[in-house]
Amino acid sequence: MAEAQTLAVRPRQVVGKKVAQLRREGVLPGVVFGGRKDSTSVQTDLRSFERSYRRWGNTTLLSLEGLDGDAIPALIHGVARDTMTGRLLHVDFQRVSLTEKTHAEVPLHFVHESPAVKTLGAVLVHARDHITVEAFPQDIPHAIDVDLSPLIEIDDALYVRDLVVDKTTVRVIDDPDELVVKAVPVRIEAEPTPAVVAPVEGEVPAEGAEAAAEGAAPAVPGAAAPGAAAGKPGAAAGAKPGAPAKPGAPAKPGAPAGKPGAPAPKGEGPKKG
């Protein structure tokens, strides 16, 4: 049976946003609830409580003195801290009865060394850091030791059923088959190697091939070859490829008569006699 730790508290009159001034003065606001009674606003010394809370945790039976002249048995239900600085902001005390069992979360304390870690290079995976128990407030353990020495081989594990507790005073609420800790091998993942993908038929060519093909005109029947200059012999401007001349078309005025397709005579005409 654990002996109750004494904590001096006083009734608190300041509530709401004004409690910030109490904290600046080194006072920790709190509340006492439960035990079939109304909640009571209290306050205690901030620095003194923080030093003691490091030893107590939430499972140590407390005796709150300074309220109504009678000591009140209580457990610390929870504390609130500043998310940026970690400074204590508020504490909740829960009234308990020394003749009634209650539930509490008891932290696990891992002791000794696992041979699987020491000799095989395994790592430990912690699935739980506390368990829930039922006991009289004065019988709640401060912590439960977990011996790691049975973890000898890879994949060895400890479960809730393997935890050592005084079963005459403490009953474990959690499932006996829940995992607590396990020795697992170290897995080193290799860096992925970039895969070389073969070109697929019909796929867009690579950038180099695409650049080489730039400027090449499509092979259209009758189209002029790339780079062909306008006005070269045989290049009929504006005429459709392979289109025949219209039959019976008159010759241009002044054009000499000749065989079709014969080249025009040089000069301006026959000399006068």
Side-chain angles (χ1 to χ4, degrees), residues 63-229:
S63 177
L64 304 181
E65 296 184 349
L67 298 176
D68 302 329
D70 295 329
I72 300 175
L75 294 173
I76 298 174
H77 182 265
V79 296
R81 293 183 181 272
D82 188 292
T83 56
M84 299 295 293
T85 64
R87 185 185 181 188
L88 281 170
L89 300 177
H90 192 272
V91 57
D92 291 332
F93 299 102
Q94 180 181 2
R95 297 185 188 95
V96 292
S97 171
L98 300 182
T99 59
E100 295 180 5
K101 291 185 176 181
T102 185
H103 291 181
E105 292 184 350
V106 180
L108 301 178
H109 181 216
F110 297 91
V111 297
H112 304 139
E113 188 175 8
S114 164
V117 174
K118 185 177 181 180
T119 61
L120 302 179
V123 295
L124 297 181
V125 175
H126 297 266
R128 299 187 65 95
D129 60 1
H130 70 274
I131 61 169
T132 304
V133 303
E134 181 186 64
F136 290 110
Q138 61 271 27
D139 293 331
I140 298 174
H142 179 67
I144 295 176
D145 288 342
V146 182
D147 185 6
L148 298 176
S149 58
L151 303 179
I152 301 175
E153 303 291 340
I154 298 293
D155 291 334
D156 283 351
L158 296 174
Y159 299 87
V160 170
R161 62 176 177 267
D162 300 318
L163 300 178
V164 179
V165 298
D166 186 356
K167 296 182 180 180
T168 62
T169 58
V170 177
R171 184 173 75 90
V172 178
I173 302 299
D174 297 315
D175 185 349
D177 294 328
E178 282 196 42
L179 178 67
V180 173
V181 60
K182 184 176 183 179
V184 299
V186 179
R187 291 182 173 87
I188 302 177
E189 297 184 0
E191 295 185 2
T193 303
V196 178
V197 182
V200 181
E201 185 177 355
E203 195 173 0
V204 177
E207 184 178 349
E210 198 172 297
E214 283 186 4
V220 180

